Amino acid sequence: MGRLTAWVAGVLMVAGAFICAASAQTRATNMSQAAGVLPSGLGEAVDRDVAKIRDATARFKATEAAEASGYKRVTGCVENQPAGAMGYHFQNDALLDTTLDVDHPEVLVYEKKPDGAFKLNGVEFLVPISAWTAAEPPRIMGQALKKADRLGIWYLHVWTWEPSPSGLFADWNPNVKCGSPSAMHH
């Protein structure tokens, strides 16, 4: 029985090594495909969370997939020139609570390209002000959410698909354009 146990343990160790190697290679591939986003320069924990967000939202590159999963367009293109734009916000109301989870962002942020197609640029984490009872702001990815009294939310943008020269967590991304006279200006 001792030999069998040792053999099974050996097989499991080898299998585990292959799984870890494959996982590391997949993560390296994901990071290399995030030019300008990863590495963020904000540490391994933030980079890990960005990679998780990208993995969780890759299926929403098409707005049709996002809408089929409960995300609905709630804004036109939001901009604040010359600082940049946020883009179009697609929000999943079922996720609006006090729980923040990198695998389930409350908002997906898109840009409409000249051909009319939408491009996923990032996410936004939201907590309704009315639901948050703690004295300190909600936090995710080591960041405190910002309070927008006028909108009734705590929020944090994360530019996971379109690098922002203003920073990973900046409100406005100068690379994002609205290009429409109907854009919402701040």
Side-chain angles (χ1 to χ4, degrees):
M1 190 69 155
R3 282 175 143 171
L4 178 61
T5 302
W7 181 81
V8 169
V11 169
L12 290 175
M13 284 178 35
V14 170
F18 281 121
I19 291 169
C20 288
S23 176
Q25 185 175 8
T26 301
R27 182 59 45 108
T29 300
N30 288 347
M31 288 187 148
S32 69
Q33 293 174 352
V37 176
L38 291 173
S40 68
L42 300 172
E44 286 183 32
V46 169
D47 288 355
R48 236 183 342 270
D49 284 346
V50 169
K52 283 182 183 179
I53 294 168
R54 288 173 60 89
D55 288 345
T57 60
R59 64 190 177 118
F60 300 131
K61 286 188 176 182
T63 55
E64 295 81 12
E67 291 173 325
S69 292
Y71 289 91
K72 303 296 178 223
R73 187 169 133 188
V74 294
T75 70
C77 191
V78 181
E79 67 177 350
N80 183 25
Q81 298 304 336
M86 292 178 184
Y88 294 83
H89 293 68
F90 284 68
Q91 181 173 301
N92 187 332
D93 288 342
L95 299 174
L96 285 178
D97 54 25
T98 59
T99 302
L100 295 170
D101 178 359
V102 294
D103 291 321
H104 300 97
E106 289 77 11
V107 175
L108 304 171
V109 184
Y110 294 87
E111 175 179 13
K112 190 180 273 190
K113 302 310 279 180
D115 67 1
F118 282 97
K119 175 183 173 273
L120 179 61
N121 286 336
V123 302
E124 186 174 4
F125 293 99
L126 298 182
V127 172
I129 291 174
S130 60
W132 190 253
T133 57
E136 295 296 315
R139 297 181 73 81
I140 191 164
M141 300 176 69
Q143 306 295 308
L145 274 64
K146 302 168 190 172
K147 192 174 188 182
D149 287 310
R150 187 172 64 96
L151 300 174
I153 58 170
W154 293 94
Y155 72 96
L156 181 71
H157 287 93
V158 188
W159 298 103
T160 52
W161 293 98
E162 177 62 37
S164 174
S166 301
L168 181 66
F169 300 110
D171 287 349
W172 307 104
N173 187 333
N175 293 340
V176 175
K177 308 291 183 230
C178 284
S180 162
S182 63
M184 299 172 67
H185 301 278
H186 277 271

